[in-house]
Amino acid sequence: MNTKELVEKSPIFKIIKKGLMVKYPWIKNVYVDSDEDIQKYHSMLFINMDIDLPQLLQSADATPASWVNTELMRRVWGRGHYDTV
């Protein structure tokens, strides 16, 4: 499989996508970003996911403030900021 279309049509990809979306309802889509990633890495396949953050927070019974505790970051990691993608 060396193109995005071939990967997304493969049965294994469809099973993984369906399994993730059923187990984690806050995952809304699973896809391959581009043909470059498939051709660049021969032993790995990087997939992207669209996540519904409000639904994730509701299912985890959390708020963004509970995940980003500035006191914890200063004390444990020694920095006053939060790195994210």
Side-chain angles (χ1 to χ4, degrees):
M1 291 184 277
N2 55 4
T3 65
K4 175 183 171 180
E5 290 79 25
L6 286 175
V7 170
E8 290 182 347
K9 288 181 181 178
S10 74
I12 299 292
F13 183 83
K14 289 180 182 181
I15 291 169
I16 291 170
K17 178 179 179 175
K18 182 70 173 177
L20 284 170
M21 292 173 71
V22 167
K23 184 167 182 169
Y24 306 106
W26 37 266
I27 296 177
K28 299 301 178 187
N29 192 16
V30 178
Y31 58 94
V32 177
D33 195 29
S34 66
D35 289 337
E36 289 179 24
D37 291 342
I38 297 168
Q39 295 165 359
K40 185 176 180 181
Y41 303 104
H42 299 287
S43 63
M44 294 181 279
L45 179 62
F46 292 95
I47 58 174
N48 295 328
M49 297 179 202
D50 292 334
I51 296 173
D52 183 3
L53 184 58
Q55 188 176 0
L56 169 61
L57 293 173
Q58 182 181 12
S59 68
D61 195 27
T63 62
S66 67
W67 291 3
V68 185
N69 183 338
T70 55
E71 180 60 32
L72 179 67
M73 279 186 268
R74 285 189 193 111
R75 190 168 21 101
V76 176
W77 293 302
R79 59 182 189 235
H81 62 280
Y82 180 73
D83 294 330
T84 184
V85 178

